[in-house]
Amino acid sequence: MLYLHDVWVNWFEGEENGYNVCSFHEWRKSDGIEILDQAPILFIDDKTFQYIENDLQDIPQSMLDQIYQRAYIRKNQERQQLDYACVITNGSSILAFDTMGYHIPIRKSRLIPRQERLVLDLIEGRTAKTYPIPDQTDKEFHILSLQPEYMVGLTRRERQLKQLLMIALDQLEVANCLEEVRYWLTEWTPDQYHSIKKMTFSEAWEKLYQDVVTGWSTKHEIFCKQIIKGQAFYEDIWEREHEPYSTKSLRS
């Protein structure tokens, strides 16, 4: 079995969408970087890679058996064994995961560029292994787990704020208050005030959602700040994303 040593990992926990597992250039100085003293490398088929990268389903048992207690993490100068952790690649993309003792990829991380290149060098000339995974129906995306197309091209901060905005819209839908949704749609498109006054709740909410779900702009950011105002937990998330350190990467 192939192994990678001294692996820098920046764990993103509980992420079912690969777009939220940040590449190295988006790692922050405030992130908790850890070092895997040793991690097995698996060259796997593209379907299995996508299954692990973009979901939180059970990892094939044959894969778990293959990597059982073969990875170690270094903490406080001590070497601790991990039950199920490894680096996977489909020959182009690379991902590390740790199940934290369970059978699903609870923690995921990208690697630093130098180690990504090393993984690709190590698998050169080898054949990807196929694993038995469940027959997949199309993954269900929703307002709190947006389709990748709505996140493509956004920075880490923009993705975080967009998810915050989606949470606020979800709450707006649950509240089911006609005047409230008309108010926020008018804030977004004040020039359509007269037509908005005639909309039903469903019409107004759907228009607001369809208008804001695509892309990200200064207008989105201002609107997000307005709609979460007065909600301390969400305002705290907003403030953290706007603190100077939050935009500083490890490379800066």
Side-chain angles (χ1 to χ4, degrees):
M1 178 173 281
L2 298 172
Y3 290 94
L4 196 62
H5 298 276
D6 299 323
V7 187
W8 287 31
V9 285
N10 181 16
W11 296 123
F12 290 84
E13 192 167 323
E15 293 292 355
E16 61 175 315
N17 294 306
Y19 57 69
N20 281 329
V21 183
C22 297
S23 297
F24 174 70
H25 72 274
E26 290 194 311
W27 290 9
R28 297 171 177 170
K29 293 179 179 179
S30 57
D31 290 339
I33 310 301
E34 296 185 341
I35 304 291
L36 294 179
D37 192 67
Q38 171 181 297
I41 301 171
L42 296 182
F43 182 19
I44 65 178
D45 65 287
D46 188 61
K47 187 177 179 181
T48 306
F49 186 92
Q50 298 294 333
Y51 172 80
I52 294 173
E53 181 185 35
N54 293 300
D55 224 323
L56 288 173
Q57 301 296 321
D58 282 354
I59 293 169
Q61 187 60 49
S62 56
M63 180 183 291
L64 294 176
D65 292 341
Q66 195 175 358
I67 65 173
Y68 182 60
Q69 294 188 343
R70 289 177 178 263
Y72 294 84
I73 195 165
R74 193 185 307 157
K75 283 191 174 181
N76 300 322
Q77 305 304 315
E78 292 184 1
R79 200 170 184 249
Q80 300 176 9
Q81 196 171 50
L82 300 175
D83 282 347
Y84 303 114
C86 74
V87 173
I88 57 173
T89 180
N90 60 357
S92 56
S93 299
I94 299 163
L95 184 78
F97 73 78
D98 174 24
T99 71
M100 301 182 74
Y102 298 95
H103 287 182
I104 62 176
I106 293 177
R107 304 199 296 180
K108 303 175 186 179
S109 174
R110 305 296 176 184
L111 304 189
I112 64 175
R114 175 177 58 81
Q115 293 182 326
E116 287 185 330
R117 290 193 297 271
L118 181 55
V119 169
L120 297 178
D121 287 344
L122 288 170
I123 65 162
E124 190 172 354
R126 296 174 180 264
T127 303
K129 183 174 180 180
T130 301
Y131 291 86
I133 59 174
D135 290 332
Q136 291 178 276
T137 55
D138 290 338
K139 181 176 176 180
E140 291 186 10
F141 293 97
H142 50 80
I143 190 170
L144 301 180
S145 179
L146 292 176
Q147 292 172 301
E149 65 195 72
Y150 294 129
M151 293 296 195
V152 169
L154 303 190
T155 65
R156 178 175 176 177
R157 183 177 70 85
E158 290 169 344
R159 291 193 303 272
Q160 286 287 102
L161 294 178
K162 190 164 190 175
Q163 288 173 324
L164 186 59
L165 177 55
M166 291 301 112
I167 291 171
L169 290 188
D170 183 58
Q171 288 184 333
L172 191 61
E173 184 179 30
V174 170
N176 197 30
C177 176
L178 177 58
E179 292 308 314
E180 188 177 11
V181 74
R182 283 177 175 171
Y183 170 81
W184 286 115
L185 182 54
T186 302
E187 285 290 304
W188 177 258
T189 54
D191 57 316
Q192 297 182 30
Y193 170 73
H194 293 293
S195 61
I196 291 170
K197 282 172 57 178
K198 301 174 185 177
M199 290 183 180
T200 64
F201 176 86
S202 296
E203 290 170 341
W205 188 89
E206 185 64 25
K207 176 167 176 51
L208 181 58
Y209 172 74
Q210 292 299 335
D211 279 4
V212 303
V213 75
T214 302
W216 189 259
S217 63
T218 302
K219 182 179 178 181
H220 282 83
E221 195 155 327
I222 293 170
F223 184 72
C224 180
K225 185 177 182 179
Q226 290 173 329
I227 201 170
I228 65 167
K229 190 174 181 180
Q231 301 182 73
F233 178 73
Y234 299 138
E235 286 185 327
D236 183 56
I237 295 174
W238 170 275
E239 292 299 331
R240 287 205 306 269
E241 289 300 320
H242 285 80
E243 289 174 359
Y245 75 80
S246 71
T247 58
K248 290 183 179 179
S249 72
L250 289 175
R251 299 170 64 187
S252 62

